[in-house]
Amino acid sequence: MTTSHVIELKSLSKTFGNVKAVSDISLDVADGSFTSFIGPSGSGKSTLLSMIAGFDQPTSGTIRLHGKDVSKLPSSERNIGMVFQNYALFPHLSVFENVAFPLRVRNMDARTLTSRVHEALESVGLKGFEARWPKQLSGGQQQRVALARAFVFGPEVLLMDEPLGALDKNLREHMQSEIKALQRRLAVSVIYVTHDQGEALAMSDNVVVMSDGRIQQVGAPAEVYRRPQSKFVAQFLGETNLLEYDLVSRGLSGPIGRLANGAAFVLPDNITDAASGTLSLRPEEIEFADPAESGCRHARIEETVFLGDCMRCRVDYQGLPLWVKLPATVMRSVPRVGQNVALHWNEASLVPLDD
Amino acid sequence: MVRRWFWIPGLGFLVLFFLLPVGAFLLQSVLDPGPTFMHFERLFEGRAFWVSLGNTFRISITVTLICAVIGFLIALRIATLQRPYANALLVLIVMTVWISLLVRNYAWMVLLGREGIISTSLVALGIFERKTSLLFNEAAVVLGMVHVLIPYMIIPTYAAVQAIDPALLRACDSLGARPAQVFSRVLLPLSLPGLATGCLLVFTLSLGFYVTPAILGGRGQTTLTMLMEIEVNEQLNWGFAAAHAAVLIAITAVLFFAYRSKFGMDRLWGQEL
Ligand SMILES: Nc1ncnc2c1ncn2[C@@H]1O[C@H](COP(=O)(O)OP(=O)(O)OP(=O)(O)O)[C@@H](O)[C@H]1O
Ligand SMILES: [Mg+2]
């Protein structure tokens, strides 16, 4: 059987003293995919990446690269490209020599080397910068050199640890699409670490949400965003309202739940039989309806936050605070604080969560 | 406002206690007894000068090279230690500079002498047949000088090594560089400014060394400073001694300016020295 996984992690753990930085992680990464690790600070993302790169030895578990166990190999023999947050360019080498470095240590002949370096620099848009020193480049340009240097030798996978963390917002978004385009063009597998959820959602084929050294959920960005499995994932990726409910009955018309404020409502069908549970309801899934309609949920606007393309409102739903997010286009009349509204949501947008 | 005048006492001190006496002494090389180049002519014609100049350079170069290799290795090792340990070691290294040169050189005399622990141990181990003095040769001089001068190599080299971003070394690894390549392509070039500073310090200090070659060396280790001592103390020929000094100072100045043009102006990598 041919393996189509670039990386396979088997019960990987790393302990520093008594800190379990990474505990028991198993994961297969599809070849050619863009996979993001996302999680709060200290969740073990960098440690995991360091182990894949070979800078840190796992306490237990194995790492396979294209089916081959590399757990014991030194970093220099793994053929993995790495882009560092602070770029880590060699200050004593020109842009050309920085990119040529991995080829020189592989004793590549001068002609092939020159053409490979030029090709790599061209693909990151730095043609003509060969003779510059790293110090003479802007942050974004240095990042591109680091990128070119990391893929010029044809690594089996590219690792990036918060590569855009030091750039300002506009440049960061620009570099996101460039990195994404480059990854598609080179058809190289990328493992990307970030704690910017927008970045992870925008760039990835797969998102791996981590906390406390463990994987919380893996899936396509839309899947993880729409169907979070735990409170942690629901709150960490985007914003959400957590609704605690008690199961009242499993009637013919579907299960009925009761919220803390006493309001009864229809639960989604895939709910468990537990007596109580938690649902996630994204703020953008709630709409304001006409209060005159029958069977509607009355609420009062407590606070409004204008965000440009949308507006966030905190409403008081009969004693229960909820966030509602309205796109700017539907705000025909701007919601005011103190205004009475009716809330409307689709049962399908209620997502049951594990605790 | 006050700050602008702060340099005056320092400069005054330098002029009064350094520039004036040294200048007055050097002037004697062309003014003693009257305006003359006699001392320099005699210096360059005599065999003793060239031989001792050769000795001085040979010893200084050997000492500098040995200090560079050992000092760099020590600096690399210290840089891999945790901060508190590294600092403690550096303090120890700097403290050795405070111990009198004479004390340290006499210590070597005791250790390397005929009755010294090294000689007697070697006899006990059966390597030597009878007790032998290991003194009064070039190895003893070099050993004594390396011992005294190595802090001047370690300190600037350590400063350069510890300023290297550890991420660069990880980058090397991930890019496929083997340890020897990491050393030759990254570690060494990035430490070079520190090494050069150390070499300049050790070499110029070596050129002017007197005590160590005088007490640990033999005939073959006669240096320029020893010739000067003879001229001043025995021959009372100050003009001739000053000519020796002028040559040493000229060599040091040339080295210093060469260093400055290579490293002092080199701001390309933003390396602060
Ligand atoms: N060398 C080390 N020695 C001791 N503990 C460490 C070491 N490296 C990491 N840790 C600990 O391991 C845990 C995970 O750290 P890690 O750097 O992997 O987190 P991260 O997810 O990358 O966080 P961030 O988003 O802040 O970069 C943290 O609790 C950290 O303190
Ligand atoms: Mg990190």
Side-chain angles (χ1 to χ4, degrees):
Chain A
M1 194 194 87
T2 57
T3 159
S4 59
H5 294 139
V6 56
I7 282 178
E8 293 161 86
L9 308 177
K10 284 264 152 51
S11 7
L12 204 59
S13 298
K14 177 74 186 179
T15 323
F16 293 110
N18 50 16
V19 180
K20 267 212 136 179
V22 167
S23 39
D24 196 28
I25 282 192
S26 295
L27 181 76
D28 292 342
V29 177
D31 209 356
S33 70
F34 195 112
T35 305
S36 289
F37 284 80
I38 176 164
S41 193
S43 56
K45 309 178 297 286
S46 297
T47 308
L48 188 60
L49 215 61
S50 289
M51 286 192 285
I52 298 175
F55 306 143
D56 271 334
Q57 284 300 309
T59 310
S60 62
T62 55
I63 302 165
R64 286 174 184 281
L65 189 60
H66 280 129
K68 183 177 155 229
D69 187 351
V70 296
S71 317
K72 299 277 177 313
L73 276 188
S75 178
S76 55
E77 287 167 33
R78 292 194 186 185
N79 205 30
I80 287 177
M82 173 104 187
V83 178
F84 297 83
Q85 175 169 1
N86 62 354
Y87 320 129
L89 296 180
F90 301 120
H92 62 299
L93 299 178
S94 65
V95 166
F96 182 94
E97 284 303 327
N98 261 282
V99 178
F101 186 92
L103 307 179
R104 290 218 189 277
V105 300
R106 286 170 174 75
N107 296 318
M108 182 178 275
D109 69 279
R111 262 244 237 90
T112 333
L113 179 140
T114 310
S115 73
R116 289 274 287 273
V117 172
H118 281 127
E119 213 174 285
L121 280 173
E122 200 169 334
S123 66
V124 294
L126 282 182
K127 205 177 168 193
F129 285 72
E130 289 81 359
R132 297 259 200 118
W133 296 95
K135 274 276 145 82
Q136 301 171 317
L137 300 178
S138 71
Q141 290 166 337
Q142 292 185 31
Q143 187 60 76
R144 286 161 211 250
V145 178
L147 200 57
R149 187 181 67 176
F151 71 71
V152 68
F153 59 99
E156 292 173 49
V157 58
L158 261 182
L159 309 180
M160 307 194 195
D161 194 352
E162 308 209 13
L164 307 180
L167 305 181
D168 65 53
K169 187 167 168 293
N170 283 337
L171 188 54
R172 200 156 70 210
E173 281 168 6
H174 182 69
M175 287 297 294
Q176 282 173 15
S177 49
E178 270 196 28
I179 291 178
K180 187 65 197 164
L182 193 68
Q183 183 255 339
R184 284 216 192 87
R185 192 144 33 90
L186 301 170
V188 63
S189 313
V190 169
I191 294 188
Y192 194 95
V193 164
T194 177
H195 51 223
D196 179 340
Q197 37 144 325
E199 197 164 290
L201 295 177
M203 301 176 80
S204 323
D205 301 316
N206 267 302
V207 177
V208 180
V209 186
M210 291 186 59
S211 84
D212 292 330
R214 291 174 193 282
I215 293 182
Q216 298 299 319
Q217 191 170 348
V218 184
E223 158 87 12
V224 178
Y225 184 82
R226 293 213 189 100
R227 300 274 135 201
Q229 286 164 357
S230 61
K231 280 188 198 173
F232 173 81
V233 175
Q235 286 179 303
F236 187 74
L237 273 190
E239 297 155 341
T240 198
N241 296 295
L242 294 181
L243 305 178
E244 315 264 344
Y245 68 91
D246 292 322
L247 188 63
V248 178
S249 70
R250 292 200 83 108
L252 283 176
S253 57
I256 304 292
R258 193 192 308 281
L259 291 176
N261 64 3
F265 66 110
V266 181
L267 291 167
D269 284 331
N270 57 350
I271 208 82
T272 59
D273 281 332
S276 63
T278 310
L279 297 168
S280 158
L281 177 60
R282 296 279 184 204
E284 67 270 21
E285 301 284 357
I286 306 177
E287 286 167 23
F288 286 171
D290 184 356
E293 259 177 55
S294 66
C296 63
R297 309 175 173 100
H298 291 283
R300 218 169 73 95
I301 299 180
E302 299 273 295
E303 183 187 344
T304 61
V305 184
F306 180 63
L307 294 171
D309 57 344
C310 65
M311 183 160 241
R312 284 201 313 158
C313 306
R314 186 161 56 82
V315 301
D316 175 32
Y317 171 41
Q318 295 159 30
L320 197 72
L322 290 181
W323 282 102
V324 179
K325 197 167 173 184
L326 304 170
T329 49
V330 304
M331 289 187 290
R332 270 171 224 106
S333 60
V334 178
R336 281 172 292 104
V337 173
Q339 189 182 341
N340 285 317
V341 289
L343 304 179
H344 176 79
W345 63 73
N346 195 323
E347 275 77 63
S349 51
L350 295 168
V351 182
L353 303 175
D354 304 339
D355 288 298
Chain B
M1 260 289 125
V2 182
R3 296 191 82 196
R4 300 182 59 179
W5 308 106
F6 263 14
W7 50 272
I8 295 238
L11 185 72
F13 184 87
L14 265 184
V15 169
L16 208 60
F17 295 103
F18 181 73
L19 284 183
L20 282 182
V22 170
F25 173 58
L26 287 181
L27 278 179
Q28 293 191 34
S29 66
V30 284
L31 293 177
D32 181 37
T36 173
F37 281 117
M38 166 185 89
H39 297 306
F40 284 100
E41 280 160 19
R42 197 180 139 209
L43 190 68
F44 296 141
E45 274 162 14
R47 218 180 84 82
F49 167 75
W50 293 109
V51 170
S52 67
L53 187 69
N55 290 341
T56 308
F57 264 84
R58 192 182 63 250
I59 293 172
S60 299
I61 290 171
T62 317
V63 167
T64 308
L65 289 180
I66 293 176
C67 279
V69 173
I70 300 177
F72 190 36
L73 291 178
I74 294 177
L76 283 177
R77 184 72 191 93
I78 297 178
T80 61
L81 295 175
Q82 283 175 347
R83 263 304 157 93
Y85 298 110
N87 289 342
L89 271 181
L90 288 173
V91 169
L92 280 180
I93 289 166
V94 172
M95 263 165 49
T96 63
V97 177
W98 302 340
I99 302 171
S100 156
L101 184 77
L102 269 170
V103 171
R104 288 196 283 168
N105 281 318
Y106 277 115
W108 281 115
M109 279 194 91
V110 174
L111 289 173
L112 296 174
R114 224 174 72 83
E115 304 295 327
I117 186 162
I118 297 174
S119 155
T120 50
S121 312
L122 287 175
V123 172
L125 288 170
I127 297 171
F128 277 10
E129 276 190 10
R130 62 181 111 80
K131 291 188 211 165
T132 319
S133 165
L134 300 168
L135 287 166
F136 314 125
N137 55 53
E138 190 136 335
V141 172
V142 169
L143 183 66
M145 284 174 69
V146 166
H147 174 209
V148 171
L149 290 173
I150 199 142
Y152 298 94
M153 185 65 78
I154 295 176
I155 301 301
T157 323
Y158 171 77
V161 170
Q162 68 90 39
I164 297 175
D165 181 357
L168 292 182
L169 304 181
R170 267 183 273 137
C172 283
D173 274 353
S174 74
L175 295 170
R178 281 172 279 112
Q181 294 172 316
V182 178
F183 180 83
S184 64
R185 289 180 181 271
V186 175
L187 225 40
L188 188 59
L190 286 178
S191 312
L192 221 47
L195 260 176
T197 309
C199 286
L200 181 77
L201 283 173
V202 170
F203 190 75
T204 50
L205 286 171
S206 298
L207 285 182
F209 245 57
Y210 169 72
V211 173
T212 310
I215 68 177
L216 297 179
R219 233 167 211 282
Q221 285 75 46
T222 307
T223 59
L224 269 185
T225 47
M226 288 160 75
L227 287 189
M228 278 172 69
E229 192 265 348
I230 293 169
E231 292 307 321
V232 170
N233 282 339
E234 289 170 25
Q235 309 293 326
L236 301 179
N237 191 343
W238 283 71
F240 194 39
H244 288 78
V247 171
L248 262 185
I249 288 181
I251 294 169
T252 310
V254 166
L255 285 173
F256 175 75
F257 285 109
Y259 166 87
R260 232 186 54 164
S261 68
K262 177 80 183 80
F263 293 99
M265 313 293 186
D266 194 351
R267 285 271 171 272
L268 268 185
W269 331 332
Q271 192 94 30
E272 271 95 31
L273 290 179

